[in-house]
Amino acid sequence: MTDQAPAAEPAAADLPGKPTSASRTTLSHIMTHADTNLLGTVHGGVIMKLVDDAAGAVAGRHSGGPAVTASMDEMAFLEPVRVGDLVHVKAQVNWTGRTSMEVGVRVLAERWNESTPPTQVGSAYLVFAAVDADGKPRRVPPVVPETERDERRCQEAQIRRTHRLARRRAIMELREKRAAEGLAD
């Protein structure tokens, strides 16, 4: 038995970076009648689940373990998805912080029986937090952009993070002000 303290967890900067391609993935799924809404097109919630599934796989791959969805930003539905569409959900890590990461997702659809190019039907940005076996935050390796497009995505992710934090701060200040004025929510 030794009297040594356990080794400190490495700082995020001490973790080796991972290139965007190391965790990038595509999830493909054919849409069936079970996926439809009352209008006969694919339910947005079905697409959102596919987006979360693909983004979660990417976050887990990048962080080397479990990662949980912390938020979803800017889920945009650009075109309806129909029964018989083959949907491709493409995801990659755009930015990393100390324990969190932003995953960008593009959703493409093509007819299952045609050889036409897929059409982009949606996009989203999700923030994931890496967690340990006890559900506590754990450090993630930095993402290393490999292309100009990856670098642009990283810069845009930093802007979205700044906006998320500013929005959260403004909401908290408003709530504190209302509470101080005796106004109930």
Side-chain angles (χ1 to χ4, degrees), residues 47 51 75-79 105-108 119-124:
I47 301 300
V51 164
M75 180 70 212
F77 297 99
L78 307 172
E79 298 283 338
V105 180
R106 287 185 334 127
V107 183
L108 306 165
T119 301
Q120 184 171 354
V121 295
S123 65

Side-chain angles (χ1 to χ4, degrees), residues 23-161:
S23 57
R24 188 179 290 141
T25 194
T26 300
L27 172 68
S28 297
H29 188 79
I30 193 160
M31 298 292 107
T32 68
H33 287 285
D35 301 316
T36 60
N37 58 27
L38 295 175
L39 299 175
T41 57
V42 172
H43 195 290
V46 170
I47 301 300
M48 290 175 76
K49 182 177 183 334
L50 293 173
V51 164
D52 191 46
D53 287 347
V58 166
R61 281 179 168 186
H62 182 83
S63 68
V68 295
T69 310
S71 69
M72 179 183 273
D73 285 354
E74 300 180 37
M75 180 70 212
F77 297 99
L78 307 172
E79 298 283 338
V81 177
R82 302 173 296 158
V83 169
D85 281 352
L86 180 57
V87 172
H88 308 285
V89 183
K90 297 177 176 282
Q92 77 170 48
V93 173
N94 290 335
W95 170 89
T96 52
R98 191 175 62 84
T99 62
S100 65
M101 62 208 108
E102 183 195 89
V103 178
V105 180
R106 287 185 334 127
V107 183
L108 306 165
E110 62 182 309
R111 295 306 293 165
W112 69 274
N113 59 348
E114 298 174 7
S115 60
T116 56
T119 301
Q120 184 171 354
V121 295
S123 65
Y125 301 100
L126 296 87
V127 177
F128 280 80
V131 295
D132 63 17
D134 297 321
K136 303 286 188 222
R138 62 182 176 79
R139 298 191 190 280
V140 298
V143 66
V144 179
E146 297 175 279
T147 66
E148 285 296 321
R149 176 182 271 183
D150 293 342
E151 186 61 42
R152 175 188 54 79
R153 287 177 175 165
C154 185
Q155 291 169 351
E156 290 173 357
Q158 291 171 11
I159 292 168
R160 282 187 291 276
R161 179 177 186 272

Side-chain angles (χ1 to χ4, degrees), residues 147-180:
T147 66
E148 285 296 321
R149 176 182 271 183
D150 293 342
E151 186 61 42
R152 175 188 54 79
R153 287 177 175 165
C154 185
Q155 291 169 351
E156 290 173 357
Q158 291 171 11
I159 292 168
R160 282 187 291 276
R161 179 177 186 272
T162 299
H163 287 214
R164 273 192 302 275
L165 295 175
R167 182 177 60 236
R168 182 181 306 148
R169 199 170 28 255
I171 289 170
M172 294 309 294
E173 288 171 3
L174 177 62
R175 288 180 181 174
E176 289 170 6
K177 179 182 176 209
R178 289 179 56 81

